[in-house]
Amino acid sequence: MAEKYVEMWKNLEMDIEKHNLLLNGLGQYYTSAVLSQKDRPKKMDYFDYVVSEVHGLRIKELNDQRAQGKKVIGAFCIYAPEELAYAADATMVGLCAGADFSVPDAETVLPRNLCPLIKSFYGFKLNRTCPYFQSSDLVVGETTCDGKKKVYELLSELVPTYVLEVPHKPDTQQGKEFWFKELEAFKTELEEVTGNEITAQSLKFAIELINGKRKALKRLSDLRAKSPSTISGLDGLLIEQISFMDDVKRFTAKVNELCEELEQRTKEDVGVAAKDAPRIMISGSPMAVPNWKVHSIVESVGATVVVEESCVGTRYFTDEVEPKGESLKDMLWAIDEKYSKIPCACFTPNDRRIESIKQLAKQFKVDGVIYYTLQNCHDYNVEGVKVERALKAQGLPMLKIETDYTMGDAEQIKTRIQAFLEIIQGKKQ
Ligand code: BJ8
């Protein structure tokens, strides 16, 4: 891919040499972790193609649109209301934040004992190897965890950054009213950046567009509740990751096509894992592309990941925006309602998340939960205590894994997962 796009990357002021190193590493990792899987659905071809062009053709599409005046808004969190961006005729994309590649660069500025996701995104902007960052006209941050909040101050020195203030008790009336004002302010900011007014009509269109994407992802997720698994957890995760980068309409259509194939597989009883393979839920910190470590390990030892209770997973698509009227205000309130339900561990209390985990465990008939925390992510780490208590009450085992983006602990994690699976097998017998 490199040759074809060098000019474009140069125009985006990327570090070409470093970026080549990144692409080579990613290509090899993708081949060994993803392409090597057996019996993948045919419709995964499209998603493999997207990944092969994720720094190429997709970036060209975005920049061709920019040349015609359309803006690109980069984001890191599912609290950034993408409906508003699309209503302003902009495109929202997820920014690079899931690789260790950029962490050493970040550590020349940031403290080392910080969440790898935060170090990763800051490093990607610093070392100019993320074409999504380089193509963004505006980056949207949010006051969720402290690490992110403070790093956005530094990030704003490198790229125009707008920070949404998120209420930390979003379920309260006060929280909802506060968030409504933030949504109005973000709407104004987007109108200024894009030069386009957000109208009731454009917002309605955007809500339907994004609801369509969430519906397709939910359809795919619900299919993963069937046994045997018709698609690997790793492929399921990959699609959830791609949802933040690809063209929304095309992506939605392709996910629905894949679902049709999986429905057929279910009818024919075709699976990618053994019928009695332990069914695992991964719950915790989000896994941005190319963070495939835990899924790969779990599935390499004979279990199957059936659901991700994560922002790259169910927290993103469980609820839709459901306006109760046609006015702009009605729709903004519907966005307010939907986003207030995202059970991020940054919020307090966060009982909605515990309830959601219990419900997912039932729906997906899971045998155990792997609680995944990125190092120094205090919110998810501490909340793990309550999650473990709730699962214990349901008789479900939980394994807590705290890790970063390096592969140094892969063998150790594998050993722990194997021991966890033995406990599950023992319980089953
Ligand atoms: S809504 S989970 S996407 S904030 S892992 S950076 S919390 S220290 S990413 Fe998140 Fe939005 Fe919440 Fe979801 Fe901080 Fe934890 Fe790192 Fe995190």
Side-chain angles (χ1 to χ4, degrees):
M1 150 162 79
E3 291 299 302
K4 250 197 306 193
Y5 299 114
V6 170
E7 249 348 273
M8 174 180 77
W9 293 330
K10 277 188 188 158
N11 290 336
L12 290 172
E13 296 178 358
M14 293 180 64
D15 182 331
I16 304 293
E17 224 169 284
K18 221 172 211 179
H19 184 239
N20 280 343
L21 288 176
L22 171 68
L23 284 189
N24 287 341
L26 271 181
Q28 282 168 20
Y29 186 27
Y30 195 71
T31 306
S32 66
V34 181
L35 296 180
S36 63
Q37 298 175 97
K38 292 205 176 77
D39 304 323
R40 299 175 76 215
K42 286 207 170 47
K43 295 287 179 186
M44 282 308 296
D45 285 359
Y46 169 75
F47 302 98
D48 290 334
Y49 178 69
V50 172
V51 174
S52 71
E53 289 289 340
V54 77
H55 282 204
L57 192 57
R58 181 63 185 137
I59 300 302
K60 185 175 178 310
E61 279 180 352
L62 292 173
N63 283 285
D64 286 350
Q65 290 168 3
R66 287 176 84 206
Q68 288 166 10
K70 205 167 169 141
K71 303 291 181 193
V72 173
I73 314 292
F76 304 101
C77 173
I78 62 167
Y79 236 81
E82 55 186 320
E83 290 84 357
L84 286 177
Y86 283 91
D89 198 30
T91 303
M92 190 174 267
V93 290
L95 298 169
C96 312
D100 187 57
F101 180 82
S102 55
V103 169
D105 287 311
E107 286 177 348
T108 62
V109 179
L110 301 177
R112 291 194 67 197
N113 58 345
L114 187 63
C115 162
L117 186 149
I118 301 173
K119 286 192 283 189
S120 179
F121 79 64
Y122 183 73
F124 270 117
K125 182 59 208 170
L126 207 59
N127 72 15
R128 295 176 288 115
T129 54
C130 171
Y132 292 88
F133 249 128
Q134 300 305 109
S135 304
S136 291
D137 299 290
L138 180 74
V139 166
V140 190
E142 50 348 282
T143 57
T144 44
C145 67
D146 289 345
K148 267 178 163 179
K149 197 160 62 188
K150 296 310 287 179
V151 171
Y152 292 141
E153 290 175 22
L154 299 171
L155 189 69
S156 68
E157 296 166 358
L158 309 172
V159 59
T161 305
Y162 180 89
V163 178
L164 285 157
E165 184 155 0
V166 175
H168 283 230
K169 288 185 172 183
D171 262 347
T172 60
Q173 191 53 30
Q174 241 175 327
K176 283 179 187 161
E177 279 164 21
F178 181 90
W179 182 231
F180 189 83
K181 290 203 174 87
E182 277 299 294
L183 291 174
E184 284 183 319
F186 185 47
K187 171 182 164 291
T188 306
E189 171 76 12
L190 286 168
E191 287 174 334
E192 272 165 27
V193 170
T194 61
N196 298 323
E197 193 192 342
I198 296 177
T199 62
Q201 205 188 358
S202 70
L203 191 50
K204 187 175 181 220
F205 170 80
I207 288 173
E208 281 167 8
L209 180 77
I210 305 302
N211 275 352
K213 175 164 70 152
R214 296 190 206 273
K215 254 193 201 97
L217 285 165
K218 173 99 173 36
R219 181 179 173 194
L220 172 62
S221 174
D222 287 348
L223 281 165
R224 290 172 63 195
K226 309 252 191 250
S227 177
S229 300
T230 52
I231 183 169
S232 70
L234 185 56
D235 279 338
L237 171 68
L238 184 71
I239 294 167
E240 288 160 354
Q241 291 171 331
I242 291 173
S243 74
F244 297 104
M245 294 164 198
D246 200 4
D247 173 80
V248 177
K249 241 185 173 171
R250 186 176 57 208
F251 173 83
T252 304
K254 293 294 178 184
V255 173
N256 280 320
E257 282 176 23
L258 171 69
C259 288
E260 278 154 32
E261 184 181 351
L262 298 189
E263 278 157 6
Q264 193 55 32
R265 279 188 162 206
T266 303
K267 274 187 207 150
E268 292 163 5
D269 213 19
V270 175
V272 290
K275 267 199 164 166
D276 60 349
R279 299 170 62 81
I280 302 296
M281 179 199 305
I282 306 271
S283 168
S285 308
M287 293 170 166
V289 72
N291 184 359
W292 305 310
K293 181 162 78 173
V294 174
H295 279 63
S296 301
I297 296 173
V298 171
E299 298 196 324
S300 75
V301 292
T304 175
V305 176
V306 291
V307 61
E308 293 76 32
E309 189 283 314
S310 167
C311 288
V312 184
T314 56
R315 291 201 290 268
Y316 175 68
F317 54 73
T318 297
D319 297 298
E320 290 176 24
V321 176
E322 293 170 311
K324 293 196 178 72
E326 296 276 313
S327 73
L328 193 59
K329 204 171 170 190
D330 287 330
M331 283 183 256
L332 280 175
W333 270 113
I335 292 175
D336 185 311
E337 280 292 334
K338 185 257 171 300
Y339 282 79
S340 300
K341 286 188 211 152
I342 300 170
C344 174
C346 302
F347 304 138
T348 185
N350 197 27
D351 299 338
R352 193 188 287 276
R353 176 161 176 245
I354 312 288
E355 288 312 310
S356 154
I357 292 171
K358 288 194 316 200
Q359 185 272 321
L360 290 170
K362 273 195 199 128
Q363 184 196 345
F364 288 83
K365 298 178 203 76
V366 305
D367 298 305
V369 175
I370 293 183
Y371 195 85
Y372 170 84
T373 330
L374 284 170
Q375 275 166 9
N376 302 301
C377 174
H378 307 312
D379 295 313
Y380 281 92
N381 212 345
V382 175
E383 198 156 275
V385 175
K386 279 194 163 184
V387 173
E388 189 163 27
R389 282 184 200 152
L391 291 172
K392 205 171 172 190
Q394 291 205 322
L396 272 178
M398 178 180 120
L399 172 70
K400 199 168 182 182
I401 290 178
E402 189 179 349
T403 185
D404 60 12
Y405 290 160
T406 63
M407 294 305 278
D409 58 357
E411 275 309 309
Q412 192 206 356
I413 290 176
K414 188 173 177 176
T415 308
R416 291 186 61 213
I417 290 175
Q418 279 170 324
F420 183 59
L421 294 182
E422 276 169 27
I423 294 171
I424 289 176
Q425 298 288 17
K427 277 189 86 184
K428 272 186 156 185
Q429 279 158 16

